[in-house]
Every structure is written in C-alpha cells, then in structure tokens.
Amino acid sequence: MLSVEELNDRLIDLAFAEDIGDGDHTTLCCIPEDAMGKSHLLIKEDGILAGVEIAKEVFRRFDPEMQVEVLIGDGSRVKKGDIAMVVTGRVRSLLQTERLMLNIMQRMSGIATMTNRYQQALIDAGTKTRVLDTRKTTPGMRMLEKEAVKIGGGMNHRIGLFDMILLKDNHIDFCGGIHNAISRAKQYCKDKGKDLKIECEVRDFKELDEALAEGCDRIMFDNFTPEDTEKAVKIVNGRAETESSGGITFDTMIPYAKAGVDFISFGALTHSVKGLDMSFKAC
C-alpha cells in the first residue's frame, strides 16, 4: 500500500501534467528563462489556514531552488489582508506553480474553516461530541482533505475501506442481518490476523439490541431523531462508542450532540465545501 507521502507525490505529478501538458506557452513566450521574482500568498477571507506544508512540497517538487518563507502556519486563524507566505525563485516557476498551489490551499483551508466552525459550535454548546468526516471526498485528494479536517479540529472517521470495518445497511441486508454481519466481521479479522475496529450501522432499536448482543466497537445511529438518539445512547450505556449520521447539518446538530453521542459525521465537510479566498501576487 502506498504511503501518504507517495500518494501526495502522485497527486502533484498528475496535477502538473494535467495543467501544463507540453508547456505553459503563455509563460514561456513572454518570461525570460533567467528572470527572478517574488510572490506572496494574500489571504482575502477570514478562516483557518490549511495546506501550507503541501504547498511547500508543490514548490519543491516543481523547482527545488524555490525559496519559501512561511509567515503563517497550518491551523492558524487568518483574516483578510494577511500574508501567509512569500516565495522567491524563477518567475516561470512562480507562474506555473501558482494555480496548483492555490487549488490545494483554497480547498484545504475551506475544509479546515468549515470543520472548525462545526467543532467550535459543539464545544460552545457544552458538549463533548467530536466532528467526523466521511469518504465523500474528491477522488485523488482524500489524504489532503482529511488532513484539512484534522487541521480544523475534527477527526477522521476512516481513511478508506482498508483501515476499519463499517457495516452499513447494504452490507447488513446482503448478509441477512446484524448477527451475520458482525460475526462474519469478527471471524474475518481473526482469520486474517487483522486488528480492525468494527462499527455497525443500526436503523432502529431492534437492530441496536442485536448489535449490542453481538458486540462491536462503535454503533452508528442512522437517521434517528434527537429524542431516539438520547434513548439509544442510554441503552448503549458506554458499551460501545456512538455516532450519529444521516442528513445532520450545522443547523440541526446541537440536539444530537446534547443527546450524548460521541461523534457526528458530516459528508458536507468535504463534498460541499467552499474554498477560502486567497491569491498569489507578485511583490
């Protein structure tokens, strides 16, 4: 399996190939090869900054001679008008790395900002519920988007299909029920020598009782009301971690958190986020 660094390197290489093709003819036709310059990253909207470290890798991978001065690091709260970094190098390199760096940093910062808003609201409401992401990510950018969630103060649910067992409704229905699904998951882990957490989605109190009887690490309440969630948390009584999921938004999440769940998962953190506005300008 590829490491996070290898996956990010492949993403950067593919992104450059996609953008530059056989050459940035606009830059090549008007900028001398030996021209040197400097650009700064200008923040144009308040939020949480994310993507600084991967931006440094973008510059290094394209032109190792580019010099990056970081003024504001990942996870910092930024405001309109801030300068986050200054980059010095060949003007051709500055122009050809600009869009990829901005695409990554704007999206990661948007995710971090949204995550921080959700998590802080749960804290301000007096709850201990943590914000989780999902697998509803941009193909190829999952590692970066999930890193942005962590930078924003949230937690990763799972990276992919390989690092946790999550028995959802389709798995359960195809298996013939909760008992079969969980027992097969446990036997699989035993046979394969894998130490994987097992989470089971439940749609009603009957399935909740079955999941508790079988035993698993976390139980996901799918499309429960806040009232039913509170009742379900009391039934679980600490025997497993608890998670709420299914159509929960920023405007509706507080009652679920106050019901006592450990986690609430939000697909919107990565599939519906707005990028944080910023630009890369000559200085």
Side-chain angles (χ1 to χ4, degrees):
M1 186 172 66
L2 294 175
S3 67
V4 173
E5 291 76 16
E6 290 170 327
L7 287 169
N8 288 343
D9 285 347
R10 287 193 176 190
L11 170 63
I12 292 170
D13 290 343
L14 177 60
F16 277 133
E18 168 183 80
D19 197 33
I20 296 175
D22 70 345
D24 173 11
H25 303 303
T26 307
T27 295
L28 295 175
C29 77
C30 63
I31 303 296
E33 184 177 359
D34 59 352
M36 301 295 289
K38 183 183 295 185
S39 295
H40 64 232
L41 182 65
L42 174 65
I43 305 300
K44 302 169 72 174
E45 185 179 5
D46 295 358
I48 303 296
L49 190 66
V52 172
E53 291 304 312
I54 191 69
K56 288 164 58 179
E57 187 61 21
V58 167
F59 295 129
R60 186 201 65 78
R61 201 160 178 82
F62 187 82
D63 181 351
E65 295 184 8
M66 298 178 81
Q67 298 179 13
V68 182
E69 181 185 5
V70 175
L71 304 177
I72 304 175
D74 282 330
S76 300
R77 190 170 294 278
V78 291
K79 61 183 185 298
K80 183 178 180 180
D82 284 344
I83 304 298
M85 69 173 70
V86 179
V87 185
T88 305
R90 295 182 181 88
V91 175
R92 287 185 174 185
S93 296
L94 292 171
L95 291 169
Q96 290 177 94
T97 54
E98 172 185 346
R99 179 45 52 195
L100 175 55
M101 178 275 294
L102 284 173
N103 285 348
I104 289 173
M105 288 205 63
Q106 286 182 289
R107 183 157 185 83
M108 288 186 68
S109 297
I111 291 170
T113 299
M114 188 175 187
T115 303
N116 183 264
R117 177 174 175 249
Y118 278 51
Q119 187 62 68
Q120 191 58 52
L122 294 178
I123 293 171
D124 291 344
T127 79
K128 296 181 179 180
T129 304
R130 298 299 305 274
V131 169
L132 290 182
D133 57 20
T134 70
R135 286 171 51 243
K136 297 174 182 177
T137 56
T138 307
M141 288 193 67
R142 179 173 296 175
M143 296 303 182
L144 302 185
E145 292 179 348
K146 284 184 170 284
E147 178 63 22
V149 168
K150 292 196 294 183
I151 289 172
M155 295 179 64
N156 296 152
H157 188 284
R158 54 177 176 163
I159 300 301
L161 296 172
F162 55 87
D163 58 335
M164 183 179 183
I165 291 177
L166 174 50
L167 302 167
K168 292 181 69 66
D169 52 358
N170 282 335
H171 300 94
I172 292 163
D173 290 342
F174 279 126
C175 278
I178 297 279
H179 167 74
N180 290 344
I182 295 180
S183 61
R184 289 178 188 177
K186 289 182 176 180
Q187 188 62 48
Y188 176 87
C189 289
K190 181 179 179 181
D191 292 344
K192 299 295 183 180
K194 292 188 174 294
D195 183 21
L196 297 173
K197 279 194 170 185
I198 299 173
E199 179 173 5
C200 184
E201 178 181 277
V202 299
R203 294 163 285 191
D204 53 42
F205 288 100
K206 178 178 180 297
E207 289 190 341
L208 174 57
D209 289 339
E210 292 174 358
L212 288 170
E214 293 299 323
C216 57
D217 298 291
R218 185 182 300 172
I219 297 175
M220 178 192 293
F221 309 133
D222 181 46
N223 288 305
F224 278 40
T225 64
E227 294 75 21
D228 282 347
T229 300
E230 183 175 6
K231 179 181 176 182
V233 168
K234 289 178 180 177
I235 292 172
V236 173
N237 193 29
R239 287 179 282 174
E241 295 177 334
T242 55
E243 175 185 343
S244 286
S245 181
I248 302 172
T249 68
F250 180 84
D251 293 329
T252 63
M253 67 181 182
I254 299 300
Y256 289 93
K258 288 189 172 181
V261 290
D262 297 307
F263 307 101
I264 303 176
S265 51
F266 300 94
L269 296 179
T270 51
H271 73 57
S272 299
V273 71
K274 172 188 173 295
L276 194 72
D277 195 11
M278 58 186 72
S279 61
F280 196 51
K281 295 295 185 183
C283 59

